[in-house]
Amino acid sequence: MIPRYSRPDMVAVWSPETKFRIWYEIEAHACDAMADLGVIPRENAEAVWKAKDVEFDVARIDEIEAVTKHDVIAFLTHLAEHVGSDEARFVHQGMTSSDVLDTCFNVQLTRAADLLLEGMDKLLAALKKRALEHKDTVRVGRSHGIHAEPTTMGLTFARFYAEMDRGRARLVAAREEIATGAISGAVGTFANIDPRVEEHVCAQLGLNPEPISTQVIPRDRHAMFFATLGVIASSIENVAVEIRHMQRTEVLEGAEFFSMGQKGSSAMPHKKNPVLTENLTGLARLVRMSVIPAMENVALWHERDISHSSVERGIGPDATVTLDFALHRLAGVVDKMLIFPENMLENMNKFPGLVMSQRVLLALTQAGVSREDAYSMVQRNALKVWEERLDFRELLLADEEVVAALGEDGVNEKFDMGYHTKHVDTIFKRVFGA
């Protein structure tokens, strides 16, 4: 990804230097295990660790690969330049390239997942803080973009918290599923390498041995990992779209923080645009772009082909770097977001009392009016509010049929705002616990 949408810690996970360091550790740990088993001389295994502090020369490896046309062989050749040709002769004994490539890729994905979980925790903390802050801040709920019934801003933040918390649980599961390694040799039969080598290498790298690999680790694991990233990205967009709608001039119930010196438009100095959340919507699309290719990577020929390889070289860093950036950006947006309670009340009262229509409808049916008649009685008054901006309660009090069924006190009682917020505490306990 381009630096504009990247954070250094995640970029470092995917750097060539990190990759070659992981490749080296895989090979060195494998040599240790083979020496323990008596397969190779102990002194050769120990010699490999002479390179433990080496900064592998990426340019030199690329130079060798230009000749060999094989990245793993190029690295092994470069490693031998540091260790010594004779000392390094048992490196990669009984292994195949995918043992190194796949195990490394999964190490990188688990490290990426750990950084993503940190980002999710930061976002969850921001959402919880704002939910508690605005637990009782009343705003109108909308369905189809149209005023529906009262809710609270706290409930809006709380539902986003619950959604992100589910996403976090999915990511924990995806991390566990992807945290496998394979040192099983050609076509995965361990014909030329002992399974105990795989067990040792995986233990050293924080992975579990893949129960059965072919020449590659099964790609359904990766498909689930990237699908999880795609769902989290969609949840980010869900929050971003809500904030974008709240910031519209006609609504203005919330807005991104506008910093000192910030400019909204090159042409119109008055503009305060929701550029951060618009950007998040775009970044979510980029993350989701990785999901279908990851799923298409599951089907490989026989014990393997490399149709997945070029895909993963792109989607591995792109999806994780982008999602990492998006999580931290959204956490900042939520944390600094401006909330306008007065505008929320003003918007709700734009059509005075209209949001209480369902309560009146239910009261009429409970008073013995058929649902069809009750609906008609309420709607004929509600439409006058829409069309003429009249007060819904006053219209109901002037409607003889409504008053005959409910009485004036019965009508007035249906406009108590507390009726709609009486279970907010219950919902909060469900989301955040006691």
Side-chain angles (χ1 to χ4, degrees):
M1 284 300 298
I2 61 175
R4 186 182 186 93
Y5 304 126
S6 306
R7 297 178 65 253
D9 287 352
M10 187 63 85
V11 171
V13 170
W14 298 104
S15 71
E17 292 81 4
T18 297
K19 179 183 70 173
F20 292 134
R21 173 56 48 182
I22 297 170
W23 286 13
Y24 167 71
E25 291 175 1
I26 292 169
E27 298 285 5
H29 288 309
C31 286
D32 278 348
M34 286 187 280
D36 290 342
L37 294 170
V39 176
I40 68 172
R42 171 63 60 188
E43 56 268 26
N44 287 82
E46 291 176 351
V48 176
W49 288 107
K50 290 193 300 184
K52 65 184 179 65
D53 296 321
V54 167
E55 291 187 13
F56 295 109
D57 188 337
V58 176
R60 172 60 180 152
I61 296 170
D62 289 343
E63 179 185 358
I64 299 169
E65 186 182 352
V67 177
T68 65
K69 304 297 191 293
H70 196 291
D71 52 356
V72 174
I73 292 174
F75 170 75
L76 295 174
T77 301
H78 181 54
L79 178 59
E81 291 175 341
H82 289 284
V83 175
S85 180
D86 187 62
E87 291 89 341
R89 64 195 175 97
F90 294 111
V91 173
H92 207 66
Q93 181 93 349
M95 294 169 60
T96 188
S97 297
S98 292
D99 291 334
V100 178
L101 297 171
D102 281 15
T103 302
C104 174
F105 189 45
N106 283 8
V107 169
Q108 289 173 298
L109 289 176
T110 56
R111 292 179 184 178
D114 289 338
L115 290 175
L116 293 172
L117 287 167
E118 290 178 11
M120 295 203 76
D121 287 340
K122 184 177 179 181
L123 175 55
L124 285 165
L127 289 167
K128 182 176 182 178
K129 183 187 80 169
R130 302 315 298 268
L132 294 173
E133 181 183 350
H134 290 284
K135 182 173 76 170
D136 300 313
T137 302
V138 177
R139 69 186 291 237
V140 67
R142 297 170 173 90
S143 57
H144 304 275
I146 308 301
H147 283 198
E149 292 193 351
T151 182
T152 76
M153 190 67 226
L155 288 176
T156 299
F157 282 122
R159 68 180 168 89
F160 289 142
Y161 176 95
E163 182 173 345
M164 287 298 175
D165 195 43
R166 292 191 295 274
R168 188 189 192 285
R170 294 183 187 113
L171 183 56
V172 169
R175 185 202 184 281
E176 181 178 356
E177 185 168 359
I178 205 65
T180 67
I183 310 293
S184 54
V187 304
T189 61
F190 297 102
N192 295 300
I193 193 165
D194 194 295
R196 287 173 289 182
V197 175
E198 179 183 79
E199 292 170 5
H200 176 79
V201 172
C202 287
Q204 295 301 310
L205 296 175
L207 304 176
N208 295 309
E210 181 61 46
I212 178 169
S213 55
T214 54
Q215 197 157 318
V216 294
I217 292 173
R219 256 46 193 183
D220 61 291
R221 294 183 181 275
H222 303 75
M224 181 55 69
F225 185 88
F226 286 100
T228 299
L229 302 191
V231 172
I232 294 170
S234 293
S235 294
I236 289 174
E237 184 178 14
N238 192 21
V239 181
V241 167
E242 177 68 22
I243 295 171
R244 289 168 59 192
H245 280 308
M246 281 195 285
Q247 192 164 336
R248 286 183 298 131
T249 307
E250 296 81 2
V251 179
L252 202 56
E253 295 179 356
E256 296 175 12
F257 177 76
F258 202 80
S259 62
M260 184 67 66
Q262 183 175 343
K263 305 291 191 292
S265 167
S266 63
M268 296 166 284
H270 72 277
K271 296 294 293 295
K272 289 187 176 184
N273 302 329
V275 292
L276 298 180
T277 44
E278 288 174 341
N279 169 255
L280 286 168
T281 293
L283 295 178
R285 294 169 184 166
L286 290 176
V287 176
R288 287 194 298 265
M289 280 170 49
S290 70
V291 177
I292 295 301
M295 291 183 174
E296 291 175 340
N297 279 352
V298 174
L300 301 176
W301 284 21
H302 303 297
E303 278 60 52
R304 82 144 194 182
D305 61 60
I306 62 165
S307 59
H308 64 289
S309 176
S310 55
V311 175
E312 290 171 350
R313 290 175 192 269
I315 67 174
D318 284 358
T320 55
V321 169
T322 303
L323 186 60
D324 175 68
F325 180 88
L327 285 167
H328 284 268
R329 166 156 286 182
L330 182 57
V333 168
V334 171
D335 188 59
K336 295 181 178 180
M337 183 178 167
L338 304 176
I339 305 295
F340 306 113
E342 300 83 1
N343 290 350
M344 294 178 185
L345 290 176
E346 183 179 340
N347 286 337
M348 186 152 46
N349 293 323
K350 188 173 292 184
F351 299 93
L354 196 59
V355 293
M356 304 298 185
S357 71
Q358 181 181 192
R359 196 172 179 207
V360 178
L361 169 66
L362 297 177
L364 287 169
T365 60
Q366 290 164 355
V369 181
S370 72
R371 184 173 178 85
E372 291 76 15
D373 289 344
Y375 199 101
S376 177
M377 292 162 63
V378 174
Q379 189 180 46
R380 70 190 178 211
N381 289 289
L383 291 177
K384 292 179 182 178
V385 181
W386 275 114
E387 295 162 3
E388 302 176 44
R389 297 292 180 93
L390 300 175
D391 187 285
F392 186 50
R393 185 187 336 207
E394 292 179 3
L395 289 169
L396 293 173
L397 290 171
D399 190 311
E400 294 181 359
E401 284 188 277
V402 173
V403 174
L406 300 179
E408 290 187 4
D409 289 343
V411 171
N412 287 323
E413 188 268 335
K414 301 302 176 289
F415 288 79
D416 172 26
M417 188 63 68
Y419 175 85
H420 290 278
T421 60
K422 60 181 180 291
H423 293 304
V424 169
D425 285 339
T426 299
I427 299 171
F428 265 59
K429 287 178 182 178
R430 288 180 173 183
V431 174
F432 300 111

